[in-house]
Amino acid sequence: MATMHCEIITPEGHAFSGEAEMVVVPGMEGGLGVLPRHQPIVARLDAGEIRVRVGAAEWKAFATSDGYFSMQGERAIVLVEGAVPSDAIDVEAAQAKVDDARARIEQSEAGDESVNRFRADRDLEFAENLIRIAGR
């Protein structure tokens, strides 16, 4: 089967880089699956699960934050704030992140202007997604 080069990139570096037969991303309008030679596309992504088929029966799954997806030629690029392989999710650490984000949101709602509410909301969404993906 034909392949494309796929990269999942976070500010910390590559979460994945390699050849893929298919990539499925959580688009804002629903799941989006692309195969090699797909028409060029740029899409905004929701927090969710990205799945990369690296072999006929082998998939790699990642819990990701929101971000962007681009398919150009034979290259699929995912840009996200965070991406964790589904088999490497630490549920206790993710729950601690949920608790921290909720505490910051409460501080913001109580009038603490030093709290970045946008960042707290995004952190909460990503941490809850980690727990959701780990439970699959």
Side-chain angles (χ1 to χ4, degrees):
M1 176 174 226
T3 63
M4 63 188 138
H5 186 72
C6 176
E7 297 179 71
I8 300 175
I9 305 169
T10 71
E12 289 79 37
H14 284 80
F16 176 82
S17 180
E19 295 303 303
E21 295 179 354
M22 182 178 190
V23 178
V24 180
V25 297
M28 297 286 290
E29 302 295 322
L32 171 67
V34 296
L35 297 167
R37 295 185 290 279
H38 191 283
Q39 287 287 78
I41 186 172
V42 174
R44 185 143 181 247
L45 304 178
D46 278 334
E49 181 180 38
I50 292 177
R51 294 181 297 129
V52 180
R53 187 169 70 197
V54 294
E58 183 183 357
W59 289 85
K60 293 191 181 285
F62 300 84
T64 63
S65 63
D66 61 335
Y68 295 91
F69 173 74
S70 170
M71 179 69 186
Q72 300 289 326
E74 295 301 312
R75 189 171 174 163
I77 299 174
V78 177
L79 299 173
V80 290
E81 188 77 21
V84 178
S86 62
D87 59 358
I89 296 171
D90 180 340
V91 176
E92 289 180 17
Q95 185 61 53
K97 290 178 183 182
V98 166
D99 297 340
D100 175 64
R102 286 185 177 150
R104 288 184 287 141
I105 290 169
E106 287 178 15
Q107 289 174 321
S108 174
E109 289 173 348
D112 186 344
E113 294 181 13
S114 68
V115 174
N116 182 334
R117 176 62 187 261
F118 176 76
R119 167 66 29 206
D121 287 337
R122 287 186 76 195
D123 290 348
L124 177 60
E125 180 181 37
F126 179 51
E128 288 177 337
N129 186 52
L130 287 169
I131 293 169
R132 185 173 44 255
I133 299 300
R136 290 186 181 174

